[in-house]
Amino acid sequence: MVEPRIYATGMAARLRNQWDRDEGLGQNHKAVKFLGQDFESLKSQCQCSGKLYEDNIFSASQSSLGFKELGPRSSKTSGVRWMRPTEICKRPEFIVDGATRTDICQGALGDCWLLAAIASLTLNDNLLHRVVPHGQGFQHGYAGIFHFQFWQFGEWVEVVIDDRLPVKDGKLLFVHSAEGTEFWSALLEKAYAKLNGCYEALSGGSTSEGFEDFTGGVTEMYELRKAPSNLFGIIGRAIERGSLLGCSIDITSSHDMEAVTFKKLVKGHAYSVTAVDEVVYRGNLTKLVRIRNPWGEVEWTGSWSDNSREWDNVDRSVRSRLQNRSEDGEFWMSFSDFLREFNRLEICNLTADALHNSQMKKWSSSLYQGEWRRGSTAGGCRNFPATFWLNPQFKITLQHPDTSGEPECSFLVGLMQKDRRKKRREGKDMETIGFAVYEVPKEHTGRSGIHLKRDFFLTHASSARSELFINLREVSSRLQLPAGEYVIVPSTFEPHKEADFCLRVFSEKPADSEELDDDVIAELPPETPLDEGQIDASFKNLFRQLAGSDMEISVTELQTILNRIISKHKDLKTDGFTKEACRSMVNLMDTDGSGKLGLTEFHVLWEKVKRYLTIFRQFDLDKSGTMSSYEMRMALESAGFKLTNHLFQLIILRYTEEDMAVDFDNFVTCLVRLETMFKTFKTMDTDADGQISLNFFQWITLTMFA
């Protein structure tokens, strides 16, 4: 029998956490306090004491910088000092003349992806101040403490920092502003480094990751050389929904970085897409795209640029509406030139709460938290049919086609693995992840209390899937499918890989979605009570020999009996039944409260154990004498128990050995425990409404002795 593992308090914390989320905790206006630190109370303490804030959790020390390239022996960190802005210059400012692109200059850290995302924030004040709260500075009320908010895997988190920044040779080591007295961007980078464990954890990434952590949106990426035929429409609808759009030109070498092409486009530089339109030009409709260079200068000089001749052949009212002759960094170009000149387009689709304009069209969105756990829900991809079905499953119901007369509905699926940057210090990196989409079989449409099983996936092909399984933080795809019900199955590429994830579904038209899971059910065979006269004489003789003079079997006697019997079954692996396991069996069968089993009670238990043995052998498919955790789920269902993914995870946590195998004594103990809890609840649920109410004494009695 495996030793009990401690998880009850963790479960209580998890339930408490979920209740708080249901009350709205984690929304932008009610952000989660990262590591429990409350900005207002900490600032008030500093002001009362007259001391500047020092953050002991993310301290001004080597560990906050990094672990390898920025580790203790790195030349990059040699001679680093931590200084407050008030020590770096005479009159530091938080933001000077608004937050602009020139506030964000890269330092000795490979986080240009993050800086490009921060730069995009400066184009939208509403989004910026969801991340950078108003009212911060170095003048009235300054206490050396600042706070920022980031979206993290489905919720907004408030991060508190002190303003001690790493300095080398008199200059900020990392992000800094071209305006030497401005510090908002350096402090924002520090808060993001704290959220991810250290500065070095920010090295390497994609702009889309920053986009999402600053907005809570879902990003999709397009290689423009392989652009879908409807991309112009996708861009137009994204702009209607207030999405952030960025485009760039690839570089082929470091010499290309920010090199200017013949027609004044900058390589390796992040542009914004701000509008699309169609104009009649020489009798034909021409698609146009408006681009913005965040530098505020250096503009495209090709067709449809500010002063090009194409505008002379456009209706005057259209020209006055669209043409802009100032050198402000914004320009038009034809859609065909856009596809030819640029390489990549990223669209960050925003959630409704991020959009203040009530007239703006908004995505319908859903978010689900999930986990892959070895032995229960880490089934791997479709290449592993024996376990793929065990992955979490989510249903989406598409009801409204994009346009009337067309059958297809557009939606985005984003699968994001959680907290992987923090794990770099432990030598762990991103898992390889992806997802597949299946049409729900007709017999299951309209139902939620199901979890599709192995046979379904063996006989049905997917309707869609992620383009790749890849080791990025997020895999996202824009999909189009006919109206109907579909199941999304997210997975790691290989089974047994553990990770937490969140799955998001954005649809252009309203669509229902939910997690698919089995209803919790116990369908147990009826127990026909026998009187002693109906029990076989040979069984009675056996009972008399086992029970002794009192004609009842105690916990200790039951342990001796079961272990003697089980030792004769050489095909079973077992450590033997513990006294605790036998006490659970007595509790289940003891109808008269004596703490012992009489003849009829023992007979019912005996029949149960025989039935469990038959099931165990049936689902021990490899005849190993133990049951794999995956075989265990099928065996539980055969025994009459349907359980949710989460309950099954708890069973695996509690009843498996170190190698994730379930031996026979654990199997029997698990089934007995399940049956006891189901029967106890049913007995107490006197009005059969699925709920019971307990006072503390009843609760402690039940949990201690059930």
Side-chain angles (χ1 to χ4, degrees):
M1 172 69 183
V2 70
E3 287 299 312
R5 300 177 198 171
I6 297 170
Y7 60 84
T9 51
M11 271 305 303
R14 182 170 176 159
L15 287 171
R16 176 74 259 175
N17 183 285
Q18 186 56 53
W19 294 342
D20 290 341
R21 299 305 184 272
D22 293 343
E23 292 294 316
L25 183 66
Q27 297 176 22
N28 186 254
H29 67 278
K30 195 176 180 181
V32 175
K33 310 294 183 189
F34 184 61
L35 302 177
Q37 293 178 302
D38 181 75
F39 172 73
E40 295 296 342
S41 62
L42 289 170
K43 183 177 180 180
S44 177
Q45 289 171 24
C46 292
Q47 289 170 332
C48 290
S49 67
K51 294 180 180 179
L52 295 180
Y53 179 59
E54 292 189 3
D55 182 9
N56 293 325
I57 292 178
F58 196 66
S59 58
S61 65
Q62 177 61 57
S63 63
S64 298
L65 294 176
F67 48 89
K68 191 175 180 182
E69 290 186 13
L70 294 177
R73 296 178 180 80
S74 167
S75 59
K76 289 183 179 179
T77 60
S78 175
V80 167
R81 298 171 59 207
W82 294 79
M83 300 174 68
R84 299 184 189 270
T86 50
E87 299 168 324
I88 296 171
C89 63
K90 286 185 177 179
R91 293 186 179 84
E93 299 279 350
F94 189 62
I95 296 180
V96 177
D97 297 329
T100 63
R101 175 255 168 209
T102 56
D103 299 348
I104 305 145
C105 303
Q106 191 171 355
L109 185 62
D111 62 349
C112 60
W113 61 276
L114 176 63
L115 311 193
I118 298 174
S120 73
L121 270 186
T122 65
L123 306 177
N124 186 319
D125 273 351
N126 286 332
L127 294 178
L128 175 69
H129 290 295
R130 282 158 63 92
V131 176
V132 185
H134 283 291
Q136 304 193 79
F138 297 93
Q139 283 74 45
H140 178 68
Y142 168 69
I145 184 171
F146 291 83
H147 65 135
F148 300 87
Q149 292 193 175
F150 305 104
W151 182 90
Q152 285 286 282
F153 316 118
E155 62 187 15
W156 285 89
V157 177
E158 180 186 59
V159 180
V160 174
I161 56 165
D162 65 33
D163 62 349
R164 295 177 292 177
L165 296 167
V167 172
K168 186 173 181 179
D169 301 327
K171 298 178 181 178
L172 287 175
L173 183 61
F174 302 125
V175 166
H176 54 280
S177 171
E179 177 65 57
T181 59
E182 184 176 43
F183 290 92
W184 75 270
S185 57
L187 293 167
L188 173 63
E189 182 191 42
K190 178 176 181 179
Y192 198 61
K194 177 178 178 177
L195 183 68
N196 285 282
C198 63
Y199 277 96
E200 188 171 348
L202 306 183
S203 183
S206 68
T207 301
S208 60
E209 188 173 337
F211 269 163
E212 293 179 342
D213 286 355
F214 297 150
T215 67
V218 169
T219 301
E220 51 185 321
M221 190 179 297
Y222 294 95
E223 298 292 337
L224 296 180
R225 297 289 182 269
K226 301 182 289 184
S229 59
N230 62 338
L231 182 62
F232 187 78
I234 289 172
I235 295 173
R237 291 196 296 276
I239 290 169
E240 283 181 344
R241 287 173 169 78
S243 305
L244 302 180
L245 290 86
C247 57
S248 59
I249 303 170
D250 288 346
I251 60 172
T252 54
S253 71
S254 58
H255 299 296
D256 267 357
M257 193 62 189
E258 299 200 339
V260 181
T261 68
F262 174 66
K263 292 184 178 178
K264 295 293 181 72
L265 294 176
V266 185
K267 293 185 176 182
H269 180 55
Y271 287 83
S272 302
V273 179
T274 57
V276 293
D277 216 312
E278 289 186 281
V279 300
V280 178
Y281 174 67
R282 293 181 176 174
N284 295 312
L285 267 180
T286 298
K287 293 180 171 67
L288 300 180
V289 182
R290 191 174 70 194
I291 312 289
R292 185 179 188 278
N293 182 347
W295 285 355
E297 55 186 4
V298 186
E299 295 185 10
W300 162 252
T301 57
S303 301
W304 299 99
S305 59
D306 286 2
N307 298 300
S308 70
R309 293 180 179 177
E310 283 79 9
W311 292 107
D312 297 336
N313 293 290
V314 173
D315 182 89
R316 181 179 297 176
S317 63
V318 174
R319 189 164 66 238
S320 63
R321 179 170 62 87
L322 300 181
Q323 192 179 18
N324 177 7
R325 293 180 180 274
S326 63
E327 179 73 7
D328 59 357
E330 197 159 60
F331 55 87
W332 289 94
M333 65 194 305
S334 72
F335 184 59
S336 56
D337 280 343
F338 170 72
L339 294 178
R340 183 167 53 250
E341 298 289 341
F342 286 89
N343 296 100
R344 188 169 290 102
L345 172 71
E346 290 178 83
I347 302 177
C348 183
N349 303 282
L350 302 183
T351 51
D353 66 298
L355 302 171
H356 290 259
N357 185 345
S358 61
Q359 303 301 313
M360 195 169 280
K361 294 181 179 178
K362 297 177 181 179
W363 287 93
S364 174
S365 62
S366 301
L367 179 144
Y368 299 96
Q369 305 290 351
E371 53 196 359
W372 295 298
R373 288 290 173 266
R374 179 172 168 252
S376 55
T377 55
C381 73
R382 296 172 306 153
N383 296 355
F384 302 91
T387 56
F388 176 67
W389 65 279
L390 290 159
N391 287 299
Q393 300 173 15
F394 302 86
K395 184 173 77 171
I396 179 170
T397 303
L398 304 173
Q399 298 170 306
H400 307 286
D402 297 346
T403 56
S404 59
E406 288 190 11
E408 302 221 303
C409 310
S410 294
F411 63 107
L412 281 172
V413 178
L415 173 64
M416 181 183 293
Q417 53 187 315
K418 298 165 70 169
D419 297 320
R420 303 309 291 190
R421 285 188 181 275
K422 288 181 185 175
K423 295 180 185 293
R424 284 185 180 178
R425 193 188 290 269
E426 305 165 25
K428 298 178 182 177
D429 213 326
M430 302 289 182
E431 296 293 351
T432 301
I433 61 171
F435 57 85
V437 183
Y438 293 82
E439 188 172 5
V440 173
K442 286 185 170 51
E443 64 269 24
H444 291 311
T445 54
R447 295 178 56 198
S448 57
I450 56 164
H451 186 275
L452 296 175
K453 301 299 187 285
R454 176 180 172 177
D455 288 349
F456 169 80
F457 295 106
L458 288 175
T459 55
H460 292 75
S462 61
S463 300
R465 57 182 182 272
S466 53
E467 187 176 347
L468 297 167
F469 269 77
I470 194 166
N471 59 340
L472 292 177
R473 184 176 82 154
E474 183 173 54
V475 173
S476 65
S477 297
R478 177 183 288 260
L479 305 171
Q480 277 190 311
L481 290 172
E485 292 186 7
Y486 297 89
V487 173
I488 303 169
V489 185
S491 72
T492 55
F493 183 76
E494 294 180 344
H496 315 305
K497 300 291 185 182
E498 294 202 325
D500 295 327
F501 68 84
C502 63
L503 180 80
R504 294 184 290 167
V505 181
F506 277 40
S507 52
E508 294 204 358
K509 299 285 182 71
D512 294 329
S513 61
E514 61 185 312
E515 183 169 2
L516 278 184
D517 216 341
D518 287 324
D519 290 329
V520 180
I521 297 172
E523 296 173 337
L524 304 173
E527 292 176 5
T528 306
L530 300 177
D531 61 41
E532 293 191 11
Q534 295 173 287
I535 297 176
D536 182 78
S538 61
F539 188 88
K540 288 181 182 177
N541 289 331
L542 173 65
F543 179 79
R544 289 191 191 98
Q545 294 171 28
L546 299 172
S549 58
D550 65 353
M551 290 300 287
E552 287 195 310
I553 292 179
S554 67
V555 169
T556 305
E557 288 168 334
L558 180 62
Q559 182 183 20
T560 302
I561 294 164
L562 291 178
N563 286 336
R564 188 176 297 164
I565 293 168
I566 204 171
S567 66
K568 296 177 181 177
H569 293 272
K570 302 302 183 186
D571 61 327
L572 301 178
K573 288 188 180 176
T574 176
D575 298 329
F577 288 93
T578 64
K579 191 164 286 187
E580 191 63 36
C582 294
R583 185 171 288 113
S584 293
M585 295 184 212
V586 171
N587 286 343
L588 175 63
M589 305 312 308
D590 180 18
T591 55
D592 59 6
S594 67
K596 296 182 178 183
L597 300 181
L599 173 60
T600 56
E601 293 167 336
F602 181 66
H603 186 272
V604 175
L605 177 62
W606 187 264
E607 293 300 316
K608 277 186 194 300
V609 173
K610 283 164 60 179
R611 177 170 166 263
Y612 294 160
L613 178 58
T614 301
I615 294 171
F616 187 87
R617 284 180 167 148
Q618 179 186 350
F619 289 96
D620 176 15
L621 300 177
D622 58 0
K623 306 305 175 191
S624 63
T626 63
M627 190 170 289
S628 75
S629 54
Y630 302 110
E631 293 166 342
M632 177 73 167
R633 185 145 194 180
M634 294 186 288
L636 285 172
E637 190 156 335
S638 176
F641 297 102
K642 286 191 175 181
L643 304 174
T644 63
N645 282 339
H646 183 61
L647 285 176
F648 184 61
Q649 283 177 25
L650 292 179
I651 282 174
I652 293 305
L653 184 67
R654 176 66 178 81
Y655 291 104
T656 55
E657 304 287 348
E658 291 302 315
D659 61 357
M660 304 305 290
V662 182
D663 59 17
F664 183 65
D665 60 277
N666 282 326
F667 179 70
V668 172
T669 306
C670 174
L671 291 179
V672 166
R673 184 74 173 159
L674 277 172
E675 188 170 338
T676 302
M677 297 313 294
F678 271 101
K679 286 186 172 179
T680 301
F681 186 91
K682 193 172 181 179
T683 300
M684 301 183 76
D685 183 15
T686 52
D687 55 2
D689 67 346
Q691 297 184 53
I692 59 175
S693 177
L694 303 174
N695 61 33
F696 179 71
F697 177 75
Q698 291 168 326
W699 161 256
I700 201 74
T701 303
L702 179 63
T703 54
M704 290 300 292
F705 300 106

